[in-house]
Amino acid sequence: MIMAEPVEPRESELPVPEEESTLVRRARKGDLAAYDDLVKRYQERIYATIYHMTSNHEDANDLAQESFIKAFQALKSFKGGSTFYTWLYRIAVNKTINFLKQRKNRTHMSLNDIDFNAEHDPDLMALISDNTPRRAAGLTELQKKLNEALLKLSEPHRLVVVLHDVQGESHEEIAKVMDCNIGTVRSRLFYARQQLQGYLNDYLK
Amino acid sequence: MNQDENNFESLRRLLALKRHEIPPPGYFNRFSAQVINRIRSGEAAPASVSERLHAEAPWLMKFLQIFEAKPAFAGAFAFALCLFLVFGTVLAERPDYSTPQPLLQTAESSSASVAAVSQAVLPQPNDQTLLASGSSSNSASSLQPVASMFGQQNPFAQQVSFSPSGN
């Protein structure tokens, strides 16, 4: 009887979580190249979440870098109970919330530019081209008003809106990141949207 | 929930604007290199107290977060703590009447032991013969005057010898 030789699965066939766990294992041993891959994989999402929470590019840059550094230093304590992404998200969110609590009442916005695609988004164009007061406001003005309204929310409410309505995360993932149950996420999201509707009433008619 | 989603549809469309806010061009090309360089140089912002608590005592942070979310809990906890302290203080200052019996017993036993000692040390009326014999070497129980004090002879002291009546 001829035994078929076990075939090693090609790298492209490996499921993503396993690949991530391999990178994490290598990074835990001090392999900075592996950690560089992990940083590249999640940098945009981590940066975007922090940026939408702070409305300040410089703060978001510092906090995102510090989150990745802290995660690398704490990799030994990562037990694998959740995905690396959720664990990393938790570090970034805790760091951001602590930062926002410390800088309370010292809000300074430093907003990023709006990309070219926004001008071709029919929904956004509809918001600024109707015969309403919002017509006068260009995209930049709308962006400023939107960020000001977000900054009026408490940190947990802002985080839920950012993660769900901006980042497109699921309720389950948000619950894991915020270490609370899904019901809490839903109720916070409802309350936060109500608040935002009140603040942005002129732009939502 | 679908009703809520419909109610907030225009808000969600407005929030979509946030997705179009992008950092300066080339920002993410440099980002990971900056992070790795900072890790290599061992540079990191020192962890704040709250960050350390988050890492080392998450239960304490959760406890504090409950207080932060619901100040009524903080008030109730503080009230309970004050009540506990006042109760403890009152209890500590109150005289304890609960154990009089052992004290009396101790007093009785101590007086009994004192009596026993005194019986052993002090002469009893029945011991006249022993005293009279002068054979006791116990100077404390002896009624003899001290022959010399501070090395000087007492001029008024006289040597007296007793002899048993039978001899």
Side-chain angles (χ1 to χ4, degrees):
Chain A
M1 189 176 165
I2 301 166
M3 295 285 286
E5 235 179 75
V7 179
E8 285 285 322
R10 279 182 297 181
E11 202 170 301
S12 58
E13 290 171 357
L14 289 172
V16 174
E18 199 176 343
E19 199 184 339
E20 181 185 278
S21 64
T22 309
L23 287 174
V24 170
R25 209 178 313 123
R26 280 170 54 200
R28 283 177 79 159
K29 289 175 185 167
D31 186 342
L32 284 175
Y35 195 66
D36 188 48
D37 283 352
L38 287 169
V39 174
K40 279 179 181 149
R41 186 174 291 195
Y42 299 120
Q43 60 186 6
E44 290 180 33
R45 276 187 275 180
I46 294 293
Y47 167 83
T49 302
I50 299 172
Y51 168 76
H52 295 315
M53 285 293 289
T54 56
S55 296
N56 188 302
H57 168 70
E58 287 78 25
D59 291 341
N61 178 43
D62 289 345
L63 288 167
Q65 286 195 14
E66 281 168 19
S67 299
F68 279 108
I69 293 167
K70 188 178 163 61
F72 181 77
Q73 289 166 341
L75 260 179
K76 283 193 169 58
S77 70
F78 174 58
K79 305 273 192 307
S82 60
T83 61
F84 174 75
Y85 171 59
T86 306
W87 180 75
L88 176 65
Y89 233 134
R90 233 179 264 158
I91 290 174
V93 161
N94 284 334
K95 213 168 197 16
T96 306
I97 288 177
N98 286 337
F99 170 81
L100 289 171
K101 278 180 183 168
Q102 282 169 9
R103 80 149 201 200
K104 215 158 201 163
N105 304 324
R106 286 188 292 114
T107 308
H108 169 65
M109 290 200 299
S110 165
L111 301 177
N112 287 330
D113 292 336
I114 296 171
D115 69 2
F116 180 73
N117 294 331
E119 291 174 21
H120 300 282
D121 187 324
D123 287 339
L124 289 174
M125 283 302 105
L127 285 169
I128 59 166
S129 60
D130 285 359
N131 290 326
T132 57
R134 66 191 171 227
R135 188 177 58 168
L139 274 178
T140 309
E141 181 64 20
L142 196 60
Q143 178 198 17
K144 194 175 165 224
K145 293 286 177 195
L146 181 55
N147 279 285
E148 281 171 355
L150 275 170
L151 287 175
K152 284 180 190 169
L153 298 177
S154 71
E155 286 90 9
H157 290 102
R158 197 186 316 157
L159 183 62
V160 172
V161 170
V162 165
L163 290 178
H164 189 269
D165 289 345
V166 182
Q167 300 281 89
E169 299 287 349
S170 66
H171 290 125
E172 289 79 10
E173 184 63 30
I174 297 169
K176 279 184 206 164
V177 169
M178 296 184 78
D179 201 13
C180 63
N181 59 46
I182 294 175
T184 306
V185 172
R186 286 184 201 277
S187 66
R188 280 180 183 169
L189 186 59
F190 181 78
Y191 179 80
R193 284 168 169 176
Q194 267 191 331
Q195 295 280 102
L196 279 177
Q197 257 189 342
Y199 298 142
L200 298 163
N201 206 23
D202 286 346
Y203 301 90
L204 295 170
K205 282 174 187 167
Chain B
M1 194 52 73
N2 281 340
Q3 184 66 37
D4 295 339
E5 296 289 330
N6 292 335
N7 288 344
F8 297 120
E9 193 48 47
S10 52
L11 176 68
R12 291 185 66 178
R13 270 187 280 146
L14 179 56
L15 282 167
L17 177 62
K18 292 286 289 169
R19 291 184 206 135
H20 294 285
E21 292 180 28
I22 51 162
Y27 170 73
F28 288 120
N29 297 340
R30 300 185 299 269
F31 185 86
S32 68
Q34 286 173 345
V35 170
I36 298 299
N37 283 341
R38 283 180 69 176
I39 290 172
R40 276 212 182 97
S41 62
E43 179 203 340
S48 67
V49 175
S50 60
E51 279 173 359
R52 282 211 315 256
L53 275 176
H54 258 297
E56 289 163 20
W59 58 270
L60 184 63
M61 290 308 287
K62 273 195 173 182
F63 191 61
L64 294 175
Q65 274 168 5
I66 291 171
F67 284 167
E68 204 173 301
K70 294 182 180 171
F73 279 162
F77 182 74
F79 181 73
L81 199 66
C82 288
L83 212 65
F84 179 75
L85 280 173
V86 168
F87 182 73
T89 312
V90 168
L91 206 69
E93 286 179 353
R94 216 177 87 184
D96 195 358
Y97 297 111
S98 60
T99 54
Q101 197 63 24
L103 278 176
L104 280 175
Q105 279 175 354
T106 311
E108 279 171 8
S109 63
S110 62
S111 62
S113 61
V114 167
V117 168
S118 62
Q119 269 185 355
V121 172
L122 294 175
Q124 298 297 313
N126 297 343
D127 295 339
Q128 285 295 337
T129 50
L130 277 174
L131 279 172
S133 70
S135 58
S136 172
S137 61
N138 187 351
S139 60
S141 60
S142 172
L143 297 175
Q144 299 293 326
V146 179
S148 71
M149 193 173 281
F150 306 115
Q152 291 180 341
Q153 289 289 329
N154 187 349
F156 303 105
Q158 292 180 353
Q159 289 282 336
V160 178
S161 64
F162 291 96
S163 55
S165 57
N167 288 346

